[in-house]
């Protein structure tokens, strides 16, 4: 008797489940039919983008970009740790700010949009290789500046004179007052030329130039306070390193 009850109950559950399943399917199937063309066009769009990314041009340019970024920031960190000790190194020593991340994401978006819609734009190898050369030159100039200035080079601008802060006027500083800023300007614009990104090349050039124009004014105010006429004389004999900034 109990077995028969069990049998009927399970039959009831199965029937009920079938009912739910069939009414559910009658709702889902037309919905799937409706959605299917959109999903398949999305998939084909995605696969077109990924096949463009993994084309040899894009693969090479994006790999160069990621390597340039990785090398730049890791060497900034290592040099800051070497000259100032590990404990005084922060995210700022890596020079990673919110605006910087936004700019880099923006440049990646420009690249992906252009490589998808106008892949031939990315095939200007003379342009791209010139950008790569600028990235290397900018990187070398910046790192030479950091190594030459040693402990006088701090990522945050010094507003008070400290014992170990000496005026550096040798090496790259003999000709250029702000070689690390000059190097960064060349490096950052170089990354965009390397990616054949016309909009970000212009955008980076304007934004980075403006940033350093203001920063140099601020930095030199405190350098004049710390080193007085020595700095004034030094500034008179050298180029700032940033075009159109005296
Ligand atoms: C991020 S470093 C940049 C140095 C320099 N503007 C450059 O582009 O190479 C900023 C710090 O370097 C210091 N600094 C800049 N020029 C200097 C010089 N010629 N000698 C010593 N310290 C300098 C500033 O006082 C500031 O604290």
């Amino acid at each position: 008797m109990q077995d028969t009850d069990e049998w009927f109950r399970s039959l009831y559950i199965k029937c009920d489940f079938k009912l739910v399943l069939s009414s559910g399917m009658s709702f889902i199937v037309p919905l799937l039919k409706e959605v299917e063309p959109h999903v398949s066009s999305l998939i084909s769009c995605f696969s077109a983008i990924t096949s463009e990314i993994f084309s040899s041009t894009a693969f090479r340019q994006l790999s160069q970009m990621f390597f340039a970024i990785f090398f730049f920031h890791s060497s900034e960190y290592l040099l800051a740790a070497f000259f100032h000790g590990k404990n005084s190194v922060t995210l700022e020593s890596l020079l990673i700010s919110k605006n910087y991340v936004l700019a880099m994401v923006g440049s990646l978006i420009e690249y992906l949009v252009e490589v998808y819609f106008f892949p031939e734009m990315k095939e200007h190898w003379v342009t791209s290789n010139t950008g790569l050369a600028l990235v290397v030159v900018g990187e070398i100039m910046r790192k030479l500046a950091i190594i030459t200035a040693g402990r006088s080079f701090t990522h945050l601008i010094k507003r008070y004179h400290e014992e170990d802060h000496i005026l550096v006027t040798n090496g790259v500083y003999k000709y250029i007052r702000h070689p690390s800023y000059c190097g960064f300007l060349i490096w950052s614009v170089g990354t965009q030329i390397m990616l054949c990104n016309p909009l970000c090349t212009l955008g980076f050039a304007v934004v980075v130039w403006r940033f350093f124009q203001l920063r140099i004014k601020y930095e030199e105010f405190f350098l004049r306070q710390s080193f007085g006429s020595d700095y004034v004389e030094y500034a008179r004999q050298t180029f700032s390193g940033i075009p159109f900034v005296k």
Side-chain angles (χ1 to χ4, degrees), residues 142 145 149 152-158 165-169 173 177-182 215-216 219 222-223 227 231 234:
R142 178 150 176 113
S152 291
F153 191 101
T154 47
H155 284 107
L156 294 180
I157 292 171
K158 280 190 179 147
H165 191 194
I166 51 159
L167 180 62
V168 181
T169 57
Y173 285 88
R177 266 193 335 276
H178 300 285
S180 83
Y181 297 162
C182 175
R215 191 174 166 104
I216 285 172
E219 185 171 315
F222 294 108
L223 282 165
F227 301 110
Y231 192 79
Y234 166 65

mmCIF file of all heavy atoms in Angstrom, residues 142 145 149 152-158 165-169 173 177-182 215-216 219 222-223 227 231 234, ligand 1:
data_model
loop_
_atom_site.group_PDB
_atom_site.id
_atom_site.type_symbol
_atom_site.label_atom_id
_atom_site.label_comp_id
_atom_site.label_asym_id
_atom_site.label_seq_id
_atom_site.Cartn_x
_atom_site.Cartn_y
_atom_site.Cartn_z
ATOM 1 N N ARG A 142 64.945 59.249 -19.133
ATOM 2 C CA ARG A 142 64.363 59.332 -17.786
ATOM 3 C C ARG A 142 65.218 58.574 -16.769
ATOM 4 O O ARG A 142 65.504 59.066 -15.689
ATOM 5 C CB ARG A 142 62.939 58.789 -17.808
ATOM 6 C CG ARG A 142 62.326 58.814 -16.441
ATOM 7 C CD ARG A 142 60.863 58.996 -16.391
ATOM 8 N NE ARG A 142 60.446 58.907 -15.008
ATOM 9 C CZ ARG A 142 59.959 59.904 -14.298
ATOM 10 N NH1 ARG A 142 59.785 61.077 -14.835
ATOM 11 N NH2 ARG A 142 59.617 59.733 -13.036
ATOM 12 N N ALA A 145 68.383 60.347 -15.915
ATOM 13 C CA ALA A 145 68.130 61.470 -15.008
ATOM 14 C C ALA A 145 68.019 60.959 -13.574
ATOM 15 O O ALA A 145 68.632 61.528 -12.657
ATOM 16 C CB ALA A 145 66.847 62.191 -15.415
ATOM 17 N N ALA A 149 70.691 62.036 -10.683
ATOM 18 C CA ALA A 149 70.292 62.864 -9.529
ATOM 19 C C ALA A 149 70.356 62.079 -8.218
ATOM 20 O O ALA A 149 70.499 62.682 -7.148
ATOM 21 C CB ALA A 149 68.890 63.416 -9.756
ATOM 22 N N SER A 152 68.736 63.106 -4.729
ATOM 23 C CA SER A 152 68.064 64.398 -4.960
ATOM 24 C C SER A 152 66.795 64.215 -5.782
ATOM 25 O O SER A 152 65.955 65.112 -5.838
ATOM 26 C CB SER A 152 69.001 65.358 -5.699
ATOM 27 O OG SER A 152 70.047 65.736 -4.851
ATOM 28 N N PHE A 153 66.678 63.061 -6.438
ATOM 29 C CA PHE A 153 65.485 62.795 -7.255
ATOM 30 C C PHE A 153 64.415 62.155 -6.380
ATOM 31 O O PHE A 153 64.569 61.047 -5.886
ATOM 32 C CB PHE A 153 65.825 61.849 -8.417
ATOM 33 C CG PHE A 153 64.727 61.756 -9.439
ATOM 34 C CD1 PHE A 153 64.804 62.456 -10.636
ATOM 35 C CD2 PHE A 153 63.600 60.971 -9.197
ATOM 36 C CE1 PHE A 153 63.780 62.376 -11.580
ATOM 37 C CE2 PHE A 153 62.576 60.885 -10.132
ATOM 38 C CZ PHE A 153 62.670 61.589 -11.320
ATOM 39 N N THR A 154 63.327 62.919 -6.169
ATOM 40 C CA THR A 154 62.202 62.356 -5.408
ATOM 41 C C THR A 154 60.957 62.494 -6.271
ATOM 42 O O THR A 154 60.825 63.475 -7.006
ATOM 43 C CB THR A 154 61.998 63.149 -4.101
ATOM 44 O OG1 THR A 154 62.017 64.544 -4.441
ATOM 45 C CG2 THR A 154 63.075 62.859 -3.085
ATOM 46 N N HIS A 155 60.041 61.525 -6.166
ATOM 47 C CA HIS A 155 58.834 61.618 -6.991
ATOM 48 C C HIS A 155 57.922 62.750 -6.525
ATOM 49 O O HIS A 155 57.204 63.339 -7.323
ATOM 50 C CB HIS A 155 58.097 60.274 -7.018
ATOM 51 C CG HIS A 155 58.777 59.271 -7.913
ATOM 52 N ND1 HIS A 155 59.473 58.197 -7.433
ATOM 53 C CD2 HIS A 155 58.904 59.222 -9.261
ATOM 54 C CE1 HIS A 155 59.982 57.512 -8.442
ATOM 55 N NE2 HIS A 155 59.649 58.114 -9.567
ATOM 56 N N LEU A 156 57.963 63.041 -5.217
ATOM 57 C CA LEU A 156 57.200 64.191 -4.721
ATOM 58 C C LEU A 156 58.130 65.397 -4.676
ATOM 59 O O LEU A 156 59.289 65.274 -4.255
ATOM 60 C CB LEU A 156 56.662 63.916 -3.313
ATOM 61 C CG LEU A 156 55.622 62.794 -3.211
ATOM 62 C CD1 LEU A 156 55.180 62.621 -1.765
ATOM 63 C CD2 LEU A 156 54.414 63.096 -4.093
ATOM 64 N N ILE A 157 57.615 66.555 -5.088
ATOM 65 C CA ILE A 157 58.456 67.760 -5.118
ATOM 66 C C ILE A 157 58.796 68.212 -3.695
ATOM 67 O O ILE A 157 57.893 68.345 -2.850
ATOM 68 C CB ILE A 157 57.737 68.887 -5.894
ATOM 69 C CG1 ILE A 157 57.652 68.494 -7.373
ATOM 70 C CG2 ILE A 157 58.433 70.230 -5.715
ATOM 71 C CD1 ILE A 157 56.786 69.401 -8.199
ATOM 72 N N LYS A 158 60.097 68.450 -3.452
ATOM 73 C CA LYS A 158 60.527 68.899 -2.116
ATOM 74 C C LYS A 158 60.182 70.370 -1.941
ATOM 75 O O LYS A 158 60.545 71.202 -2.783
ATOM 76 C CB LYS A 158 62.043 68.707 -1.972
ATOM 77 C CG LYS A 158 62.397 67.273 -1.639
ATOM 78 C CD LYS A 158 63.858 67.165 -1.269
ATOM 79 C CE LYS A 158 64.166 65.723 -0.910
ATOM 80 N NZ LYS A 158 65.497 65.327 -1.268
ATOM 81 N N HIS A 165 69.788 67.074 -0.003
ATOM 82 C CA HIS A 165 69.333 67.577 -1.307
ATOM 83 C C HIS A 165 70.391 68.512 -1.883
ATOM 84 O O HIS A 165 70.530 69.658 -1.439
ATOM 85 C CB HIS A 165 67.989 68.303 -1.148
ATOM 86 C CG HIS A 165 67.352 68.608 -2.475
ATOM 87 N ND1 HIS A 165 66.306 69.481 -2.598
ATOM 88 C CD2 HIS A 165 67.601 68.148 -3.738
ATOM 89 C CE1 HIS A 165 65.939 69.554 -3.853
ATOM 90 N NE2 HIS A 165 66.716 68.751 -4.569
ATOM 91 N N ILE A 166 71.124 68.005 -2.864
ATOM 92 C CA ILE A 166 72.154 68.862 -3.467
ATOM 93 C C ILE A 166 71.748 69.216 -4.895
ATOM 94 O O ILE A 166 71.033 68.446 -5.543
ATOM 95 C CB ILE A 166 73.548 68.171 -3.468
ATOM 96 C CG1 ILE A 166 73.440 66.763 -4.071
ATOM 97 C CG2 ILE A 166 74.166 68.127 -2.095
ATOM 98 C CD1 ILE A 166 74.760 66.227 -4.559
ATOM 99 N N LEU A 167 72.207 70.377 -5.348
ATOM 100 C CA LEU A 167 71.868 70.813 -6.708
ATOM 101 C C LEU A 167 72.667 69.969 -7.715
ATOM 102 O O LEU A 167 73.895 69.928 -7.667
ATOM 103 C CB LEU A 167 72.189 72.305 -6.880
ATOM 104 C CG LEU A 167 71.892 72.890 -8.259
ATOM 105 C CD1 LEU A 167 70.398 72.793 -8.596
ATOM 106 C CD2 LEU A 167 72.334 74.353 -8.338
ATOM 107 N N VAL A 168 71.945 69.310 -8.600
ATOM 108 C CA VAL A 168 72.601 68.448 -9.595
ATOM 109 C C VAL A 168 72.723 69.223 -10.906
ATOM 110 O O VAL A 168 71.720 69.726 -11.438
ATOM 111 C CB VAL A 168 71.774 67.159 -9.829
ATOM 112 C CG1 VAL A 168 72.454 66.246 -10.828
ATOM 113 C CG2 VAL A 168 71.529 66.434 -8.522
ATOM 114 N N THR A 169 73.948 69.335 -11.404
ATOM 115 C CA THR A 169 74.149 70.085 -12.659
ATOM 116 C C THR A 169 75.080 69.311 -13.607
ATOM 117 O O THR A 169 75.559 69.863 -14.588
ATOM 118 C CB THR A 169 74.779 71.475 -12.379
ATOM 119 O OG1 THR A 169 76.000 71.255 -11.687
ATOM 120 C CG2 THR A 169 73.870 72.365 -11.578
ATOM 121 N N TYR A 173 71.861 66.586 -16.697
ATOM 122 C CA TYR A 173 71.407 67.871 -16.140
ATOM 123 C C TYR A 173 72.277 69.045 -16.601
ATOM 124 O O TYR A 173 71.927 70.192 -16.397
ATOM 125 C CB TYR A 173 71.383 67.814 -14.604
ATOM 126 C CG TYR A 173 70.207 67.009 -14.079
ATOM 127 C CD1 TYR A 173 70.304 65.632 -13.905
ATOM 128 C CD2 TYR A 173 68.988 67.621 -13.778
ATOM 129 C CE1 TYR A 173 69.227 64.891 -13.434
ATOM 130 C CE2 TYR A 173 67.907 66.891 -13.312
ATOM 131 C CZ TYR A 173 68.043 65.528 -13.145
ATOM 132 O OH TYR A 173 66.973 64.804 -12.685
ATOM 133 N N ARG A 177 67.420 70.904 -17.868
ATOM 134 C CA ARG A 177 67.052 71.081 -16.450
ATOM 135 C C ARG A 177 66.091 70.017 -15.954
ATOM 136 O O ARG A 177 66.091 69.687 -14.782
ATOM 137 C CB ARG A 177 66.374 72.457 -16.292
ATOM 138 C CG ARG A 177 67.307 73.504 -15.909
ATOM 139 C CD ARG A 177 66.733 74.796 -15.439
ATOM 140 N NE ARG A 177 65.424 75.244 -15.827
ATOM 141 C CZ ARG A 177 65.139 75.886 -16.963
ATOM 142 N NH1 ARG A 177 66.076 76.070 -17.862
ATOM 143 N NH2 ARG A 177 63.908 76.312 -17.190
ATOM 144 N N HIS A 178 65.236 69.529 -16.849
ATOM 145 C CA HIS A 178 64.219 68.556 -16.418
ATOM 146 C C HIS A 178 64.254 67.319 -17.327
ATOM 147 O O HIS A 178 63.274 67.012 -18.019
ATOM 148 C CB HIS A 178 62.833 69.217 -16.424
ATOM 149 C CG HIS A 178 62.758 70.395 -15.509
ATOM 150 N ND1 HIS A 178 62.688 70.272 -14.129
ATOM 151 C CD2 HIS A 178 62.809 71.729 -15.762
ATOM 152 C CE1 HIS A 178 62.671 71.470 -13.586
ATOM 153 N NE2 HIS A 178 62.749 72.378 -14.559
ATOM 154 N N PRO A 179 65.388 66.610 -17.311
ATOM 155 C CA PRO A 179 65.523 65.473 -18.233
ATOM 156 C C PRO A 179 64.519 64.350 -17.981
ATOM 157 O O PRO A 179 64.102 63.669 -18.923
ATOM 158 C CB PRO A 179 66.958 64.990 -17.995
ATOM 159 C CG PRO A 179 67.341 65.530 -16.668
ATOM 160 C CD PRO A 179 66.589 66.802 -16.492
ATOM 161 N N SER A 180 64.106 64.167 -16.726
ATOM 162 C CA SER A 180 63.165 63.060 -16.483
ATOM 163 C C SER A 180 61.779 63.411 -17.037
ATOM 164 O O SER A 180 61.056 62.539 -17.517
ATOM 165 C CB SER A 180 63.085 62.715 -14.996
ATOM 166 O OG SER A 180 62.207 63.571 -14.322
ATOM 167 N N TYR A 181 61.413 64.709 -16.983
ATOM 168 C CA TYR A 181 60.121 65.116 -17.558
ATOM 169 C C TYR A 181 60.187 65.045 -19.086
ATOM 170 O O TYR A 181 59.233 64.623 -19.746
ATOM 171 C CB TYR A 181 59.758 66.537 -17.113
ATOM 172 C CG TYR A 181 59.564 66.682 -15.614
ATOM 173 C CD1 TYR A 181 59.606 67.922 -14.994
ATOM 174 C CD2 TYR A 181 59.340 65.562 -14.818
ATOM 175 C CE1 TYR A 181 59.428 68.049 -13.626
ATOM 176 C CE2 TYR A 181 59.166 65.682 -13.442
ATOM 177 C CZ TYR A 181 59.216 66.926 -12.855
ATOM 178 O OH TYR A 181 59.049 67.052 -11.509
ATOM 179 N N CYS A 182 61.321 65.468 -19.608
ATOM 180 C CA CYS A 182 61.512 65.403 -21.060
ATOM 181 C C CYS A 182 61.418 63.935 -21.510
ATOM 182 O O CYS A 182 60.732 63.608 -22.480
ATOM 183 C CB CYS A 182 62.888 65.996 -21.387
ATOM 184 S SG CYS A 182 63.343 65.861 -23.094
ATOM 185 N N ARG A 215 53.952 71.992 -13.593
ATOM 186 C CA ARG A 215 54.790 71.359 -12.566
ATOM 187 C C ARG A 215 56.173 72.014 -12.490
ATOM 188 O O ARG A 215 56.717 72.215 -11.416
ATOM 189 C CB ARG A 215 54.910 69.863 -12.859
ATOM 190 C CG ARG A 215 55.540 69.082 -11.721
ATOM 191 C CD ARG A 215 55.493 67.609 -11.997
ATOM 192 N NE ARG A 215 56.371 66.875 -11.110
ATOM 193 C CZ ARG A 215 55.967 66.162 -10.068
ATOM 194 N NH1 ARG A 215 54.698 66.071 -9.784
ATOM 195 N NH2 ARG A 215 56.846 65.515 -9.321
ATOM 196 N N ILE A 216 56.708 72.369 -13.649
ATOM 197 C CA ILE A 216 58.048 72.983 -13.666
ATOM 198 C C ILE A 216 58.020 74.338 -12.943
ATOM 199 O O ILE A 216 58.908 74.657 -12.157
ATOM 200 C CB ILE A 216 58.563 73.102 -15.121
ATOM 201 C CG1 ILE A 216 58.997 71.714 -15.608
ATOM 202 C CG2 ILE A 216 59.712 74.099 -15.235
ATOM 203 C CD1 ILE A 216 59.352 71.634 -17.075
ATOM 204 N N GLU A 219 57.853 73.510 -9.259
ATOM 205 C CA GLU A 219 59.102 72.878 -8.782
ATOM 206 C C GLU A 219 60.240 73.904 -8.718
ATOM 207 O O GLU A 219 60.994 73.950 -7.755
ATOM 208 C CB GLU A 219 59.457 71.730 -9.732
ATOM 209 C CG GLU A 219 60.651 70.922 -9.310
ATOM 210 C CD GLU A 219 60.821 69.672 -10.168
ATOM 211 O OE1 GLU A 219 59.815 68.970 -10.416
ATOM 212 O OE2 GLU A 219 61.949 69.407 -10.608
ATOM 213 N N PHE A 222 60.441 76.282 -5.653
ATOM 214 C CA PHE A 222 61.090 75.731 -4.455
ATOM 215 C C PHE A 222 62.596 75.507 -4.678
ATOM 216 O O PHE A 222 63.374 75.629 -3.745
ATOM 217 C CB PHE A 222 60.401 74.430 -4.027
ATOM 218 C CG PHE A 222 58.996 74.671 -3.567
ATOM 219 C CD1 PHE A 222 57.912 74.267 -4.342
ATOM 220 C CD2 PHE A 222 58.752 75.353 -2.375
ATOM 221 C CE1 PHE A 222 56.613 74.520 -3.925
ATOM 222 C CE2 PHE A 222 57.450 75.608 -1.958
ATOM 223 C CZ PHE A 222 56.372 75.197 -2.730
ATOM 224 N N LEU A 223 62.981 75.198 -5.925
ATOM 225 C CA LEU A 223 64.420 75.034 -6.197
ATOM 226 C C LEU A 223 65.150 76.362 -6.030
ATOM 227 O O LEU A 223 66.265 76.418 -5.502
ATOM 228 C CB LEU A 223 64.627 74.470 -7.612
ATOM 229 C CG LEU A 223 64.379 72.960 -7.748
ATOM 230 C CD1 LEU A 223 64.237 72.550 -9.206
ATOM 231 C CD2 LEU A 223 65.507 72.153 -7.096
ATOM 232 N N PHE A 227 68.174 76.791 -3.468
ATOM 233 C CA PHE A 227 69.540 76.973 -3.971
ATOM 234 C C PHE A 227 69.851 78.406 -4.416
ATOM 235 O O PHE A 227 70.962 78.684 -4.886
ATOM 236 C CB PHE A 227 69.811 75.989 -5.114
ATOM 237 C CG PHE A 227 69.643 74.549 -4.693
ATOM 238 C CD1 PHE A 227 68.579 73.791 -5.163
ATOM 239 C CD2 PHE A 227 70.541 73.957 -3.824
ATOM 240 C CE1 PHE A 227 68.412 72.469 -4.773
ATOM 241 C CE2 PHE A 227 70.387 72.628 -3.423
ATOM 242 C CZ PHE A 227 69.314 71.887 -3.897
ATOM 243 N N TYR A 231 70.790 78.298 -8.465
ATOM 244 C CA TYR A 231 69.771 77.721 -9.357
ATOM 245 C C TYR A 231 69.399 78.695 -10.474
ATOM 246 O O TYR A 231 69.235 78.301 -11.630
ATOM 247 C CB TYR A 231 68.508 77.285 -8.585
ATOM 248 C CG TYR A 231 67.620 76.441 -9.480
ATOM 249 C CD1 TYR A 231 67.907 75.094 -9.704
ATOM 250 C CD2 TYR A 231 66.552 77.004 -10.182
ATOM 251 C CE1 TYR A 231 67.157 74.325 -10.579
ATOM 252 C CE2 TYR A 231 65.789 76.237 -11.058
ATOM 253 C CZ TYR A 231 66.092 74.903 -11.251
ATOM 254 O OH TYR A 231 65.350 74.141 -12.133
ATOM 255 N N TYR A 234 72.072 78.483 -13.030
ATOM 256 C CA TYR A 234 71.980 77.182 -13.718
ATOM 257 C C TYR A 234 70.812 77.198 -14.712
ATOM 258 O O TYR A 234 70.946 76.759 -15.859
ATOM 259 C CB TYR A 234 71.813 76.079 -12.660
ATOM 260 C CG TYR A 234 71.370 74.741 -13.205
ATOM 261 C CD1 TYR A 234 72.186 74.006 -14.065
ATOM 262 C CD2 TYR A 234 70.125 74.195 -12.853
ATOM 263 C CE1 TYR A 234 71.771 72.775 -14.561
ATOM 264 C CE2 TYR A 234 69.708 72.975 -13.340
ATOM 265 C CZ TYR A 234 70.535 72.265 -14.196
ATOM 266 O OH TYR A 234 70.124 71.049 -14.690
HETATM 267 C C1 LIG B 1 60.438 64.065 -9.982
HETATM 268 S S1 LIG B 1 61.970 64.837 -9.639
HETATM 269 C C2 LIG B 1 62.214 65.627 -11.195
HETATM 270 C C3 LIG B 1 63.546 66.202 -11.373
HETATM 271 C C4 LIG B 1 63.696 67.043 -12.624
HETATM 272 N N1 LIG B 1 62.628 67.991 -12.730
HETATM 273 C C5 LIG B 1 63.782 66.197 -13.849
HETATM 274 O O1 LIG B 1 62.869 66.282 -14.684
HETATM 275 O O2 LIG B 1 64.730 65.441 -13.994
HETATM 276 C C6 LIG B 1 61.476 66.168 -8.615
HETATM 277 C C7 LIG B 1 62.475 66.532 -7.515
HETATM 278 O O3 LIG B 1 63.719 66.784 -8.097
HETATM 279 C C8 LIG B 1 64.289 67.949 -7.510
HETATM 280 N N2 LIG B 1 65.153 68.565 -8.516
HETATM 281 C C9 LIG B 1 64.813 69.008 -9.738
HETATM 282 N N3 LIG B 1 65.884 69.482 -10.403
HETATM 283 C C10 LIG B 1 66.913 69.319 -9.568
HETATM 284 C C11 LIG B 1 68.299 69.606 -9.667
HETATM 285 N N4 LIG B 1 68.825 70.144 -10.768
HETATM 286 N N5 LIG B 1 69.076 69.296 -8.617
HETATM 287 C C12 LIG B 1 68.573 68.753 -7.498
HETATM 288 N N6 LIG B 1 67.280 68.466 -7.334
HETATM 289 C C13 LIG B 1 66.465 68.738 -8.352
HETATM 290 C C14 LIG B 1 63.138 68.814 -7.103
HETATM 291 O O4 LIG B 1 63.423 69.596 -6.002
HETATM 292 C C15 LIG B 1 62.051 67.780 -6.783
HETATM 293 O O5 LIG B 1 61.975 67.510 -5.404
#
